[in-house]
Structures are given as structure tokens and as C-alpha cells.
Amino acid sequence: PIDWNASSDGEYPDIQEDDDIWIDVSIPDQKVYIKKDQDTVYTMNASSGIGTTEDNDTPTGTYYVEPERGEWFYSPTYEEGAEYWVSWKNHGEYLFHSVPMNKDQEVIESEAKKLGNKASHGCIRLSIPDAKWLYDHIPTGTKVVIG
């Protein structure tokens, strides 16, 4: 399994305010590519929606990072939460976030071990450091292309 406590691709890129950064999410590859113009500057392991129903599929298309973000959430419905969430669709419904955690903010290992495979309810799961970096460095309004 992929180490969900480690960065996916070594040292993170130094993003400047005027850099033309966008996010390319590849569902076939289960990767998130941080792009500057057409160049990939960082690659993250990811898990998109499991895709067995419309309710647990990751929407494809072009979106933009929304203003909603936070350090922690918990969903009693799914009995899962995650750290470092950033909304990209429907203002808090579809997120980038860490691997799943229980209500005590402990990683759910059986879910975390799925990183790199389709596994979520539609969000994009990332390793904990990758989710924190995205939370800290990707501004509201950044283009997100999912396909």
C-alpha cells in the first residue's frame, strides 16, 4: 500500500502568487497532477469515488476551488471524517481531503490502504501531507479538471 503519512512525490513545489497553477485529476491513473501551465510540477496519489452508483462517483468536468476549507470534518452518515479539506464542487459536498479518519481523528487503516484505488464517496482522497499542502498552498479559484 501507499504510505498515507508521506508526501507522494518528494519535496513540494514552491508556488508563487502569479504562477498559473491548476489541478488535473486523472480518474484512470488515480493521481492528482499539480500543473503550472502544461508542466506537471507535482504528482499526488489519490482515491476518487468508487463509482458503483451515481451517489459515490466523482463528477468529471471543470471546476474551481471554492472558498470553503477546513482542518477537520466528520460525517455521522458515513462514520468517517478527514483532515485538511478543500471544496471544489457544491460548496462543501465534493472535496480534496486526507485519507478517512474516525470520530477520534484516527486514520481508518482499512480505508487508508485503498489510497491509489477508487474508494471514496465522490471526494478526492490524498495522503495526509499532500492534503495539508493542498490546503495550505492552493488558492480559492484554482481550476480543477477531473477526467
Side-chain angles (χ1 to χ4, degrees), residues 64-66 68 85-95:
Y64 294 87
V65 172
E66 297 173 329
E68 296 82 9
W85 61 273
V86 175
S87 181
W88 53 267
K89 184 174 192 254
N90 292 350
H91 301 281
E93 183 180 358
Y94 290 97
L95 315 169

Side-chain angles (χ1 to χ4, degrees), residues 26-141:
S26 171
I27 291 176
D29 295 345
Q30 293 295 291
K31 301 278 189 196
V32 172
Y33 302 102
I34 307 299
K35 302 269 202 168
K36 182 176 177 180
D37 300 313
Q38 291 304 309
D39 297 328
T40 300
V41 296
Y42 199 83
T43 301
M44 298 177 176
N45 296 304
S47 289
S48 66
I50 199 160
T52 54
T53 69
E54 194 176 306
D55 287 344
N56 65 18
D57 208 2
T58 298
T60 57
T62 300
Y63 306 94
Y64 294 87
V65 172
E66 297 173 329
E68 296 82 9
R69 65 180 69 208
E71 293 185 7
W72 166 251
F73 78 90
Y74 182 76
S75 168
T77 304
Y78 296 119
E79 296 184 347
E80 287 179 0
E83 291 181 326
Y84 308 116
W85 61 273
V86 175
S87 181
W88 53 267
K89 184 174 192 254
N90 292 350
H91 301 281
E93 183 180 358
Y94 290 97
L95 315 169
F96 292 104
H97 62 67
S98 74
V99 292
M101 299 180 179
N102 65 24
K103 64 182 181 347
D104 299 319
Q105 284 184 261
E106 298 162 332
V107 170
I108 302 169
E109 287 201 25
S110 61
E111 287 296 316
K113 286 178 179 174
K114 297 176 184 176
L115 190 62
N117 299 289
K118 291 182 176 186
S120 79
H121 300 104
C123 291
I124 305 296
R125 297 177 180 177
L126 303 168
S127 76
I128 297 167
D130 288 354
K132 181 170 183 355
W133 183 86
L134 195 143
Y135 170 83
D136 286 339
H137 293 94
I138 298 296
T140 299

